[in-house]
Amino acid sequence: MSWLLRNNWPWSLVAFFLGALITWILLERRQTAVPPPAQEVEEVEEQKEEVLVGASVAPTATTAEAEAPPAPAPPPAPEPEFSQLMDGEETLFDHLGTDEHQAVPGRYGEGSAEAVPHQGPPDGFTIKGNAQSMLFHTPDSPYYGRTKPEVWFRTEADAERAGFTKYTRRPRKSPDPRD
């Protein structure tokens, strides 16, 4: 990869300047293609009609201009339609405000909820259950933070009713010093 950059930098430089040139040309074309606003056109016409009288400049008005009523103001530009919703039209995000933390019913009976990947617990469910080991962890368990829940429970009684056992720390077996 370094060989490619080391030996092709002049072509990269040429491509950069070519892109900058094309961008500049397109922007210049765009600026000249846009007509001047109507107000500037009226100012230019008024300057043409001014007549130098003595030391002062006085605009001249024709009889048609004096009798004509003033031109109405142009209507305001309409709002873009893409930001407006039709009556009763649903958006893609309507479901987020209502069912965001609704519990998906669990397969372990009442008081359990299925764990959804990359989401937190449903409201009211604080106990994590591991279906492989059939253990549940309460927030005071040392492994609560590391456990990835497969099922959530409301209470310890719900977890025990589903056949899960509470995690308890067991002392390690130390090797027998007599050996």
Side-chain angles (χ1 to χ4, degrees):
M1 182 69 174
S2 63
W3 174 87
L4 186 66
L5 292 174
R6 191 171 43 241
N7 293 327
N8 290 324
W9 68 268
W11 293 112
S12 299
L13 191 62
V14 168
F16 172 78
F17 284 118
L18 184 61
L21 177 68
I22 291 171
T23 303
W24 179 73
I25 289 171
L26 291 175
L27 286 175
E28 284 296 315
R29 177 191 277 175
R30 181 177 172 204
Q31 289 175 355
T32 58
V34 175
Q39 186 179 22
E40 291 179 7
V41 173
E42 291 174 1
E43 291 175 4
V44 170
E45 289 177 4
E46 288 175 4
Q47 289 176 357
K48 289 180 183 177
E49 294 178 10
E50 290 177 352
V51 177
L52 186 60
V53 179
S56 66
V57 176
T60 59
T62 62
T63 56
E65 289 177 347
E67 295 173 4
E79 292 292 322
E81 294 182 21
F82 60 85
S83 65
Q84 298 174 355
L85 291 176
M86 302 301 278
D87 292 332
E89 184 178 353
E90 293 184 11
T91 65
L92 294 174
F93 304 104
D94 284 345
H95 69 284
L96 292 180
T98 57
D99 300 328
E100 185 175 357
H101 289 288
Q102 290 291 335
V104 178
R107 61 180 179 252
Y108 293 101
E110 188 178 337
S112 70
E114 292 296 321
V116 179
H118 308 294
Q119 272 191 350
D123 291 336
F125 291 80
T126 57
I127 299 174
K128 295 180 179 182
N130 186 327
Q132 185 177 6
S133 65
M134 293 300 286
L135 293 175
F136 68 88
H137 297 268
T138 58
D140 60 331
S141 169
Y143 293 104
Y144 185 79
R146 288 192 228 172
T147 303
K148 292 184 181 176
E150 296 172 5
V151 64
W152 290 96
F153 293 104
R154 284 190 196 273
T155 63
E156 291 183 30
D158 292 331
E160 289 171 352
R161 190 176 332 116
F164 284 74
T165 309
K166 183 176 182 175
Y167 171 80
T168 55
R169 179 172 233 149
R170 295 183 183 101
R172 292 186 178 182
K173 294 182 180 178
S174 60
D176 193 10
R178 291 181 273 164
D179 288 339

